[in-house]
PDB file of all heavy atoms in Angstrom:
ATOM      1  N   PRO A1076      49.234  78.521 -22.025  1.00 98.00           N
ATOM      2  CA  PRO A1076      49.779  78.748 -20.756  1.00 98.00           C
ATOM      3  C   PRO A1076      49.755  77.405 -19.870  1.00 98.00           C
ATOM      4  O   PRO A1076      48.807  76.681 -20.026  1.00 98.00           O
ATOM      5  CB  PRO A1076      48.924  79.848 -20.118  1.00 98.00           C
ATOM      6  CG  PRO A1076      48.455  80.612 -21.242  1.00 98.00           C
ATOM      7  CD  PRO A1076      48.248  79.597 -22.380  1.00 98.00           C
ATOM      8  N   GLU A1077      50.693  77.286 -18.992  1.00 98.00           N
ATOM      9  CA  GLU A1077      50.761  76.111 -18.143  1.00 98.00           C
ATOM     10  C   GLU A1077      49.581  75.998 -17.260  1.00 98.00           C
ATOM     11  O   GLU A1077      49.150  76.943 -16.606  1.00 98.00           O
ATOM     12  CB  GLU A1077      52.020  76.134 -17.299  1.00 98.00           C
ATOM     13  CG  GLU A1077      52.333  74.938 -16.477  1.00 98.00           C
ATOM     14  CD  GLU A1077      53.684  75.090 -15.802  1.00 98.00           C
ATOM     15  OE1 GLU A1077      53.938  76.133 -15.200  1.00 98.00           O
ATOM     16  OE2 GLU A1077      54.516  74.136 -15.883  1.00 98.00           O
ATOM     17  N   LYS A1078      48.955  74.746 -17.258  1.00 98.00           N
ATOM     18  CA  LYS A1078      47.700  74.485 -16.526  1.00 98.00           C
ATOM     19  C   LYS A1078      48.006  73.973 -15.103  1.00 98.00           C
ATOM     20  O   LYS A1078      47.211  74.075 -14.200  1.00 98.00           O
ATOM     21  CB  LYS A1078      46.802  73.509 -17.274  1.00 98.00           C
ATOM     22  CG  LYS A1078      46.299  74.096 -18.564  1.00 98.00           C
ATOM     23  CD  LYS A1078      45.646  73.052 -19.413  1.00 98.00           C
ATOM     24  CE  LYS A1078      44.389  72.577 -18.803  1.00 98.00           C
ATOM     25  NZ  LYS A1078      43.656  71.603 -19.753  1.00 98.00           N
ATOM     26  N   ASP A1079      49.218  73.393 -14.914  1.00 98.00           N
ATOM     27  CA  ASP A1079      49.580  72.807 -13.623  1.00 98.00           C
ATOM     28  C   ASP A1079      51.090  72.889 -13.483  1.00 98.00           C
ATOM     29  O   ASP A1079      51.820  72.380 -14.326  1.00 98.00           O
ATOM     30  CB  ASP A1079      49.098  71.382 -13.461  1.00 98.00           C
ATOM     31  CG  ASP A1079      49.125  70.838 -11.988  1.00 98.00           C
ATOM     32  OD1 ASP A1079      50.115  71.212 -11.322  1.00 98.00           O
ATOM     33  OD2 ASP A1079      48.224  70.130 -11.635  1.00 98.00           O
ATOM     34  N   SER A1080      51.575  73.604 -12.467  1.00 96.00           N
ATOM     35  CA  SER A1080      52.984  73.813 -12.323  1.00 96.00           C
ATOM     36  C   SER A1080      53.679  72.715 -11.634  1.00 96.00           C
ATOM     37  O   SER A1080      55.021  72.724 -11.661  1.00 96.00           O
ATOM     38  CB  SER A1080      53.284  75.168 -11.557  1.00 96.00           C
ATOM     39  OG  SER A1080      52.696  75.062 -10.278  1.00 96.00           O
ATOM     40  N   SER A1081      53.043  71.803 -11.049  1.00 97.00           N
ATOM     41  CA  SER A1081      53.718  70.713 -10.384  1.00 97.00           C
ATOM     42  C   SER A1081      54.285  69.674 -11.365  1.00 97.00           C
ATOM     43  O   SER A1081      53.750  69.417 -12.380  1.00 97.00           O
ATOM     44  CB  SER A1081      52.723  69.960  -9.422  1.00 97.00           C
ATOM     45  OG  SER A1081      53.434  68.798  -8.791  1.00 97.00           O
ATOM     46  N   ILE A1082      55.537  69.140 -11.030  1.00 96.00           N
ATOM     47  CA  ILE A1082      56.125  68.167 -11.890  1.00 96.00           C
ATOM     48  C   ILE A1082      56.017  66.732 -11.197  1.00 96.00           C
ATOM     49  O   ILE A1082      56.653  65.766 -11.690  1.00 96.00           O
ATOM     50  CB  ILE A1082      57.593  68.451 -12.306  1.00 96.00           C
ATOM     51  CG1 ILE A1082      58.404  68.578 -11.062  1.00 96.00           C
ATOM     52  CG2 ILE A1082      57.614  69.750 -13.100  1.00 96.00           C
ATOM     53  CD1 ILE A1082      59.922  68.677 -11.357  1.00 96.00           C
ATOM     54  N   VAL A1083      55.269  66.700 -10.108  1.00 97.00           N
ATOM     55  CA  VAL A1083      55.075  65.327  -9.450  1.00 97.00           C
ATOM     56  C   VAL A1083      53.714  64.854  -9.828  1.00 97.00           C
ATOM     57  O   VAL A1083      52.656  65.565  -9.687  1.00 97.00           O
ATOM     58  CB  VAL A1083      55.145  65.593  -7.911  1.00 97.00           C
ATOM     59  CG1 VAL A1083      54.852  64.225  -7.181  1.00 97.00           C
ATOM     60  CG2 VAL A1083      56.448  66.205  -7.480  1.00 97.00           C
ATOM     61  N   GLU A1084      53.685  63.682 -10.434  1.00 94.00           N
ATOM     62  CA  GLU A1084      52.466  63.214 -11.048  1.00 94.00           C
ATOM     63  C   GLU A1084      51.262  63.065 -10.020  1.00 94.00           C
ATOM     64  O   GLU A1084      50.195  63.435 -10.328  1.00 94.00           O
ATOM     65  CB  GLU A1084      52.773  61.787 -11.558  1.00 94.00           C
ATOM     66  CG  GLU A1084      53.553  61.770 -12.910  1.00 94.00           C
ATOM     67  CD  GLU A1084      53.384  60.558 -13.636  1.00 94.00           C
ATOM     68  OE1 GLU A1084      52.242  60.078 -13.897  1.00 94.00           O
ATOM     69  OE2 GLU A1084      54.374  59.926 -14.006  1.00 94.00           O
ATOM     70  N   THR A1085      51.544  62.679  -8.784  1.00 93.00           N
ATOM     71  CA  THR A1085      50.539  62.548  -7.829  1.00 93.00           C
ATOM     72  C   THR A1085      49.923  63.896  -7.405  1.00 93.00           C
ATOM     73  O   THR A1085      48.861  63.891  -6.760  1.00 93.00           O
ATOM     74  CB  THR A1085      51.056  61.777  -6.556  1.00 93.00           C
ATOM     75  OG1 THR A1085      52.188  62.493  -6.032  1.00 93.00           O
ATOM     76  CG2 THR A1085      51.437  60.356  -6.922  1.00 93.00           C
ATOM     77  N   ARG A1086      50.581  64.990  -7.713  1.00 95.00           N
ATOM     78  CA  ARG A1086      50.057  66.210  -7.316  1.00 95.00           C
ATOM     79  C   ARG A1086      49.388  67.031  -8.461  1.00 95.00           C
ATOM     80  O   ARG A1086      48.897  68.088  -8.241  1.00 95.00           O
ATOM     81  CB  ARG A1086      51.234  67.142  -6.678  1.00 95.00           C
ATOM     82  CG  ARG A1086      51.901  66.627  -5.450  1.00 95.00           C
ATOM     83  CD  ARG A1086      53.008  67.555  -5.017  1.00 95.00           C
ATOM     84  NE  ARG A1086      53.630  67.120  -3.839  1.00 95.00           N
ATOM     85  CZ  ARG A1086      53.223  67.398  -2.645  1.00 95.00           C
ATOM     86  NH1 ARG A1086      52.178  68.264  -2.453  1.00 95.00           N
ATOM     87  NH2 ARG A1086      53.851  66.945  -1.507  1.00 95.00           N
ATOM     88  N   ARG A1087      49.503  66.481  -9.605  1.00 96.00           N
ATOM     89  CA  ARG A1087      49.023  67.181 -10.796  1.00 96.00           C
ATOM     90  C   ARG A1087      47.498  66.900 -11.048  1.00 96.00           C
ATOM     91  O   ARG A1087      46.996  65.786 -10.765  1.00 96.00           O
ATOM     92  CB  ARG A1087      49.801  66.740 -12.054  1.00 96.00           C
ATOM     93  CG  ARG A1087      51.170  67.320 -12.049  1.00 96.00           C
ATOM     94  CD  ARG A1087      51.881  66.797 -13.344  1.00 96.00           C
ATOM     95  NE  ARG A1087      51.259  67.267 -14.630  1.00 96.00           N
ATOM     96  CZ  ARG A1087      51.508  68.477 -15.143  1.00 96.00           C
ATOM     97  NH1 ARG A1087      52.336  69.268 -14.585  1.00 96.00           N
ATOM     98  NH2 ARG A1087      50.850  68.782 -16.253  1.00 96.00           N
ATOM     99  N   SER A1088      46.818  67.815 -11.605  1.00 96.00           N
ATOM    100  CA  SER A1088      45.429  67.656 -11.963  1.00 96.00           C
ATOM    101  C   SER A1088      45.311  66.864 -13.275  1.00 96.00           C
ATOM    102  O   SER A1088      46.007  67.088 -14.230  1.00 96.00           O
ATOM    103  CB  SER A1088      44.696  68.981 -12.112  1.00 96.00           C
ATOM    104  OG  SER A1088      43.500  68.860 -12.799  1.00 96.00           O
ATOM    105  N   PRO A1089      44.386  65.865 -13.354  1.00 96.00           N
ATOM    106  CA  PRO A1089      44.231  65.137 -14.571  1.00 96.00           C
ATOM    107  C   PRO A1089      43.759  66.029 -15.706  1.00 96.00           C
ATOM    108  O   PRO A1089      43.918  65.668 -16.925  1.00 96.00           O
ATOM    109  CB  PRO A1089      43.084  64.199 -14.235  1.00 96.00           C
ATOM    110  CG  PRO A1089      43.119  64.046 -12.712  1.00 96.00           C
ATOM    111  CD  PRO A1089      43.538  65.401 -12.228  1.00 96.00           C
ATOM    112  N   GLU A1090      43.266  67.164 -15.406  1.00 97.00           N
ATOM    113  CA  GLU A1090      42.790  68.124 -16.451  1.00 97.00           C
ATOM    114  C   GLU A1090      43.997  68.718 -17.243  1.00 97.00           C
ATOM    115  O   GLU A1090      43.788  69.302 -18.261  1.00 97.00           O
ATOM    116  CB  GLU A1090      41.892  69.253 -15.870  1.00 97.00           C
ATOM    117  CG  GLU A1090      40.609  68.753 -15.294  1.00 97.00           C
ATOM    118  CD  GLU A1090      39.734  69.891 -14.667  1.00 97.00           C
ATOM    119  OE1 GLU A1090      40.300  71.047 -14.628  1.00 97.00           O
ATOM    120  OE2 GLU A1090      38.698  69.648 -14.252  1.00 97.00           O
ATOM    121  N   ALA A1091      45.160  68.563 -16.643  1.00 98.00           N
ATOM    122  CA  ALA A1091      46.387  69.087 -17.324  1.00 98.00           C
ATOM    123  C   ALA A1091      47.098  68.034 -18.160  1.00 98.00           C
ATOM    124  O   ALA A1091      48.115  68.285 -18.749  1.00 98.00           O
ATOM    125  CB  ALA A1091      47.317  69.671 -16.272  1.00 98.00           C
ATOM    126  N   ASN A1092      46.453  66.821 -18.319  1.00 98.00           N
ATOM    127  CA  ASN A1092      47.115  65.819 -19.073  1.00 98.00           C
ATOM    128  C   ASN A1092      47.239  66.055 -20.531  1.00 98.00           C
ATOM    129  O   ASN A1092      47.999  65.428 -21.260  1.00 98.00           O
ATOM    130  CB  ASN A1092      46.367  64.489 -18.846  1.00 98.00           C
ATOM    131  CG  ASN A1092      46.730  63.804 -17.570  1.00 98.00           C
ATOM    132  OD1 ASN A1092      47.765  64.189 -16.878  1.00 98.00           O
ATOM    133  ND2 ASN A1092      45.938  62.837 -17.083  1.00 98.00           N
ATOM    134  N   ASN A1093      46.447  67.028 -21.046  1.00 98.00           N
ATOM    135  CA  ASN A1093      46.603  67.354 -22.471  1.00 98.00           C
ATOM    136  C   ASN A1093      47.826  68.201 -22.794  1.00 98.00           C
ATOM    137  O   ASN A1093      48.138  68.583 -23.893  1.00 98.00           O
ATOM    138  CB  ASN A1093      45.290  68.103 -22.982  1.00 98.00           C
ATOM    139  CG  ASN A1093      45.169  69.425 -22.324  1.00 98.00           C
ATOM    140  OD1 ASN A1093      45.443  69.675 -21.145  1.00 98.00           O
ATOM    141  ND2 ASN A1093      44.679  70.418 -23.184  1.00 98.00           N
ATOM    142  N   GLN A1094      48.640  68.470 -21.659  1.00 98.00           N
ATOM    143  CA  GLN A1094      49.890  69.104 -21.848  1.00 98.00           C
ATOM    144  C   GLN A1094      51.077  68.173 -21.484  1.00 98.00           C
ATOM    145  O   GLN A1094      52.211  68.585 -21.284  1.00 98.00           O
ATOM    146  CB  GLN A1094      49.972  70.335 -20.981  1.00 98.00           C
ATOM    147  CG  GLN A1094      48.983  71.424 -21.348  1.00 98.00           C
ATOM    148  CD  GLN A1094      49.129  72.657 -20.554  1.00 98.00           C
ATOM    149  OE1 GLN A1094      49.539  72.714 -19.374  1.00 98.00           O
ATOM    150  NE2 GLN A1094      48.722  73.852 -21.148  1.00 98.00           N
ATOM    151  N   VAL A1095      50.774  66.859 -21.461  1.00 98.00           N
ATOM    152  CA  VAL A1095      51.737  65.934 -21.056  1.00 98.00           C
ATOM    153  C   VAL A1095      51.937  64.913 -22.284  1.00 98.00           C
ATOM    154  O   VAL A1095      50.940  64.525 -22.897  1.00 98.00           O
ATOM    155  CB  VAL A1095      51.305  65.059 -19.824  1.00 98.00           C
ATOM    156  CG1 VAL A1095      52.306  64.018 -19.478  1.00 98.00           C
ATOM    157  CG2 VAL A1095      51.097  66.047 -18.681  1.00 98.00           C
ATOM    158  N   TYR A1096      53.153  64.436 -22.450  1.00 98.00           N
ATOM    159  CA  TYR A1096      53.536  63.578 -23.593  1.00 98.00           C
ATOM    160  C   TYR A1096      54.436  62.441 -23.194  1.00 98.00           C
ATOM    161  O   TYR A1096      54.949  62.406 -22.120  1.00 98.00           O
ATOM    162  CB  TYR A1096      54.173  64.440 -24.745  1.00 98.00           C
ATOM    163  CG  TYR A1096      53.273  65.549 -25.201  1.00 98.00           C
ATOM    164  CD1 TYR A1096      53.207  66.784 -24.474  1.00 98.00           C
ATOM    165  CD2 TYR A1096      52.303  65.329 -26.209  1.00 98.00           C
ATOM    166  CE1 TYR A1096      52.336  67.753 -24.841  1.00 98.00           C
ATOM    167  CE2 TYR A1096      51.374  66.378 -26.538  1.00 98.00           C
ATOM    168  CZ  TYR A1096      51.453  67.576 -25.874  1.00 98.00           C
ATOM    169  OH  TYR A1096      50.470  68.598 -26.173  1.00 98.00           O
ATOM    170  N   PHE A1097      54.624  61.519 -24.134  1.00 98.00           N
ATOM    171  CA  PHE A1097      55.472  60.395 -23.935  1.00 98.00           C
ATOM    172  C   PHE A1097      55.895  59.822 -25.263  1.00 98.00           C
ATOM    173  O   PHE A1097      55.274  60.065 -26.309  1.00 98.00           O
ATOM    174  CB  PHE A1097      54.870  59.310 -23.039  1.00 98.00           C
ATOM    175  CG  PHE A1097      53.700  58.615 -23.654  1.00 98.00           C
ATOM    176  CD1 PHE A1097      53.808  57.404 -24.315  1.00 98.00           C
ATOM    177  CD2 PHE A1097      52.387  59.221 -23.572  1.00 98.00           C
ATOM    178  CE1 PHE A1097      52.709  56.813 -24.916  1.00 98.00           C
ATOM    179  CE2 PHE A1097      51.283  58.585 -24.101  1.00 98.00           C
ATOM    180  CZ  PHE A1097      51.484  57.355 -24.861  1.00 98.00           C
ATOM    181  N   ILE A1098      57.042  59.064 -25.231  1.00 98.00           N
ATOM    182  CA  ILE A1098      57.462  58.342 -26.394  1.00 98.00           C
ATOM    183  C   ILE A1098      57.030  56.906 -26.227  1.00 98.00           C
ATOM    184  O   ILE A1098      57.350  56.237 -25.296  1.00 98.00           O
ATOM    185  CB  ILE A1098      58.995  58.369 -26.601  1.00 98.00           C
ATOM    186  CG1 ILE A1098      59.428  59.839 -26.750  1.00 98.00           C
ATOM    187  CG2 ILE A1098      59.417  57.524 -27.821  1.00 98.00           C
ATOM    188  CD1 ILE A1098      59.009  60.600 -27.989  1.00 98.00           C
ATOM    189  N   ASP A1099      56.183  56.339 -27.250  1.00 96.00           N
ATOM    190  CA  ASP A1099      55.710  55.057 -27.083  1.00 96.00           C
ATOM    191  C   ASP A1099      56.707  53.994 -27.538  1.00 96.00           C
ATOM    192  O   ASP A1099      57.863  54.318 -28.002  1.00 96.00           O
ATOM    193  CB  ASP A1099      54.365  54.899 -27.806  1.00 96.00           C
ATOM    194  CG  ASP A1099      54.461  54.876 -29.321  1.00 96.00           C
ATOM    195  OD1 ASP A1099      55.545  54.937 -29.906  1.00 96.00           O
ATOM    196  OD2 ASP A1099      53.368  54.755 -29.948  1.00 96.00           O
ATOM    197  N   THR A1100      56.367  52.686 -27.546  1.00 94.00           N
ATOM    198  CA  THR A1100      57.324  51.656 -27.843  1.00 94.00           C
ATOM    199  C   THR A1100      57.732  51.677 -29.340  1.00 94.00           C
ATOM    200  O   THR A1100      58.720  50.955 -29.728  1.00 94.00           O
ATOM    201  CB  THR A1100      56.725  50.273 -27.488  1.00 94.00           C
ATOM    202  OG1 THR A1100      55.502  50.124 -28.098  1.00 94.00           O
ATOM    203  CG2 THR A1100      56.600  50.187 -25.953  1.00 94.00           C
ATOM    204  N   SER A1101      56.965  52.302 -30.190  1.00 94.00           N
ATOM    205  CA  SER A1101      57.307  52.422 -31.632  1.00 94.00           C
ATOM    206  C   SER A1101      58.221  53.626 -31.904  1.00 94.00           C
ATOM    207  O   SER A1101      58.682  53.803 -33.066  1.00 94.00           O
ATOM    208  CB  SER A1101      56.059  52.498 -32.535  1.00 94.00           C
ATOM    209  OG  SER A1101      55.422  53.788 -32.359  1.00 94.00           O
ATOM    210  N   GLY A1102      58.418  54.463 -30.902  1.00 95.00           N
ATOM    211  CA  GLY A1102      59.237  55.666 -31.069  1.00 95.00           C
ATOM    212  C   GLY A1102      58.468  56.880 -31.423  1.00 95.00           C
ATOM    213  O   GLY A1102      59.025  57.963 -31.648  1.00 95.00           O
ATOM    214  N   ALA A1103      57.092  56.814 -31.370  1.00 97.00           N
ATOM    215  CA  ALA A1103      56.283  57.967 -31.777  1.00 97.00           C
ATOM    216  C   ALA A1103      56.040  58.853 -30.568  1.00 97.00           C
ATOM    217  O   ALA A1103      55.935  58.419 -29.479  1.00 97.00           O
ATOM    218  CB  ALA A1103      54.876  57.452 -32.321  1.00 97.00           C
ATOM    219  N   LEU A1104      55.966  60.171 -30.771  1.00 98.00           N
ATOM    220  CA  LEU A1104      55.578  61.167 -29.794  1.00 98.00           C
ATOM    221  C   LEU A1104      54.104  61.057 -29.622  1.00 98.00           C
ATOM    222  O   LEU A1104      53.356  61.154 -30.586  1.00 98.00           O
ATOM    223  CB  LEU A1104      56.096  62.552 -30.155  1.00 98.00           C
ATOM    224  CG  LEU A1104      55.654  63.681 -29.268  1.00 98.00           C
ATOM    225  CD1 LEU A1104      56.381  63.495 -27.875  1.00 98.00           C
ATOM    226  CD2 LEU A1104      56.083  65.018 -29.852  1.00 98.00           C
ATOM    227  N   CYS A1105      53.644  60.941 -28.325  1.00 98.00           N
ATOM    228  CA  CYS A1105      52.218  60.719 -28.096  1.00 98.00           C
ATOM    229  C   CYS A1105      51.693  61.638 -27.034  1.00 98.00           C
ATOM    230  O   CYS A1105      52.391  62.054 -26.160  1.00 98.00           O
ATOM    231  CB  CYS A1105      51.903  59.237 -27.715  1.00 98.00           C
ATOM    232  SG  CYS A1105      52.410  58.010 -28.877  1.00 98.00           S
ATOM    233  N   SER A1106      50.352  61.975 -27.148  1.00 98.00           N
ATOM    234  CA  SER A1106      49.668  62.726 -26.127  1.00 98.00           C
ATOM    235  C   SER A1106      49.133  61.804 -25.015  1.00 98.00           C
ATOM    236  O   SER A1106      48.576  60.794 -25.229  1.00 98.00           O
ATOM    237  CB  SER A1106      48.468  63.400 -26.748  1.00 98.00           C
ATOM    238  OG  SER A1106      47.547  63.863 -25.749  1.00 98.00           O
ATOM    239  N   ARG A1107      49.360  62.153 -23.766  1.00 98.00           N
ATOM    240  CA  ARG A1107      48.940  61.362 -22.638  1.00 98.00           C
ATOM    241  C   ARG A1107      47.411  61.393 -22.480  1.00 98.00           C
ATOM    242  O   ARG A1107      46.760  60.303 -22.313  1.00 98.00           O
ATOM    243  CB  ARG A1107      49.495  61.847 -21.297  1.00 98.00           C
ATOM    244  CG  ARG A1107      49.066  61.072 -20.100  1.00 98.00           C
ATOM    245  CD  ARG A1107      49.684  61.512 -18.851  1.00 98.00           C
ATOM    246  NE  ARG A1107      49.380  60.635 -17.723  1.00 98.00           N
ATOM    247  CZ  ARG A1107      49.857  60.741 -16.508  1.00 98.00           C
ATOM    248  NH1 ARG A1107      50.733  61.700 -16.156  1.00 98.00           N
ATOM    249  NH2 ARG A1107      49.419  59.859 -15.553  1.00 98.00           N
ATOM    250  N   SER A1108      46.797  62.485 -22.714  1.00 98.00           N
ATOM    251  CA  SER A1108      45.392  62.602 -22.545  1.00 98.00           C
ATOM    252  C   SER A1108      44.619  61.862 -23.652  1.00 98.00           C
ATOM    253  O   SER A1108      43.715  61.133 -23.440  1.00 98.00           O
ATOM    254  CB  SER A1108      44.938  64.068 -22.557  1.00 98.00           C
ATOM    255  OG  SER A1108      45.217  64.782 -23.734  1.00 98.00           O
ATOM    256  N   ALA A1109      45.015  62.017 -24.875  1.00 97.00           N
ATOM    257  CA  ALA A1109      44.329  61.444 -26.055  1.00 97.00           C
ATOM    258  C   ALA A1109      44.835  60.034 -26.248  1.00 97.00           C
ATOM    259  O   ALA A1109      44.043  59.187 -26.774  1.00 97.00           O
ATOM    260  CB  ALA A1109      44.600  62.274 -27.290  1.00 97.00           C
ATOM    261  N   GLY A1110      46.013  59.723 -25.911  1.00 97.00           N
ATOM    262  CA  GLY A1110      46.588  58.357 -26.141  1.00 97.00           C
ATOM    263  C   GLY A1110      46.970  58.142 -27.630  1.00 97.00           C
ATOM    264  O   GLY A1110      47.379  57.051 -27.948  1.00 97.00           O
ATOM    265  N   HIS A1111      46.930  59.208 -28.438  1.00 98.00           N
ATOM    266  CA  HIS A1111      47.249  59.104 -29.838  1.00 98.00           C
ATOM    267  C   HIS A1111      48.576  59.709 -30.129  1.00 98.00           C
ATOM    268  O   HIS A1111      49.103  60.569 -29.375  1.00 98.00           O
ATOM    269  CB  HIS A1111      46.110  59.772 -30.672  1.00 98.00           C
ATOM    270  CG  HIS A1111      44.836  59.096 -30.553  1.00 98.00           C
ATOM    271  ND1 HIS A1111      44.599  57.778 -30.867  1.00 98.00           N
ATOM    272  CD2 HIS A1111      43.610  59.552 -30.099  1.00 98.00           C
ATOM    273  CE1 HIS A1111      43.312  57.463 -30.621  1.00 98.00           C
ATOM    274  NE2 HIS A1111      42.714  58.539 -30.123  1.00 98.00           N
ATOM    275  N   ALA A1112      49.176  59.389 -31.231  1.00 98.00           N
ATOM    276  CA  ALA A1112      50.479  59.968 -31.689  1.00 98.00           C
ATOM    277  C   ALA A1112      50.344  61.347 -32.273  1.00 98.00           C
ATOM    278  O   ALA A1112      49.194  61.787 -32.610  1.00 98.00           O
ATOM    279  CB  ALA A1112      51.145  58.969 -32.641  1.00 98.00           C
ATOM    280  N   ILE A1113      51.460  62.024 -32.440  1.00 98.00           N
ATOM    281  CA  ILE A1113      51.479  63.319 -33.053  1.00 98.00           C
ATOM    282  C   ILE A1113      51.986  63.231 -34.450  1.00 98.00           C
ATOM    283  O   ILE A1113      52.966  62.526 -34.720  1.00 98.00           O
ATOM    284  CB  ILE A1113      52.443  64.236 -32.256  1.00 98.00           C
ATOM    285  CG1 ILE A1113      52.074  64.258 -30.762  1.00 98.00           C
ATOM    286  CG2 ILE A1113      52.359  65.657 -32.814  1.00 98.00           C
ATOM    287  CD1 ILE A1113      50.636  64.602 -30.397  1.00 98.00           C
ATOM    288  N   ASP A1114      51.301  63.865 -35.340  1.00 98.00           N
ATOM    289  CA  ASP A1114      51.766  63.786 -36.846  1.00 98.00           C
ATOM    290  C   ASP A1114      51.894  65.257 -37.285  1.00 98.00           C
ATOM    291  O   ASP A1114      51.503  66.223 -36.619  1.00 98.00           O
ATOM    292  CB  ASP A1114      50.621  63.094 -37.578  1.00 98.00           C
ATOM    293  CG  ASP A1114      51.024  62.700 -38.988  1.00 98.00           C
ATOM    294  OD1 ASP A1114      52.219  62.826 -39.285  1.00 98.00           O
ATOM    295  OD2 ASP A1114      50.085  62.277 -39.775  1.00 98.00           O
TER     296      ASP A1114
END
């Protein structure tokens, strides 16, 4: 279940970062909280 409903970064709790992702410069899907890629 969603831990933080805000989509504005400055309003979000850091504890919800394990539900946030990004695409890094190599094209890998990564976890924001862990900093590691998804396999």
Side-chain angles (χ1 to χ4, degrees):
E1077 188 172 46
K1078 296 169 68 174
D1079 194 321
S1080 60
S1081 176
I1082 60 171
V1083 179
E1084 287 197 53
T1085 56
R1086 296 179 179 272
R1087 290 179 61 86
S1088 167
E1090 295 180 356
N1092 281 344
N1093 66 323
Q1094 296 184 333
V1095 179
Y1096 301 86
F1097 65 96
I1098 300 295
D1099 73 2
T1100 55
S1101 72
L1104 177 64
C1105 301
S1106 160
R1107 180 176 186 176
S1108 62
H1111 299 299
I1113 310 303
D1114 194 9

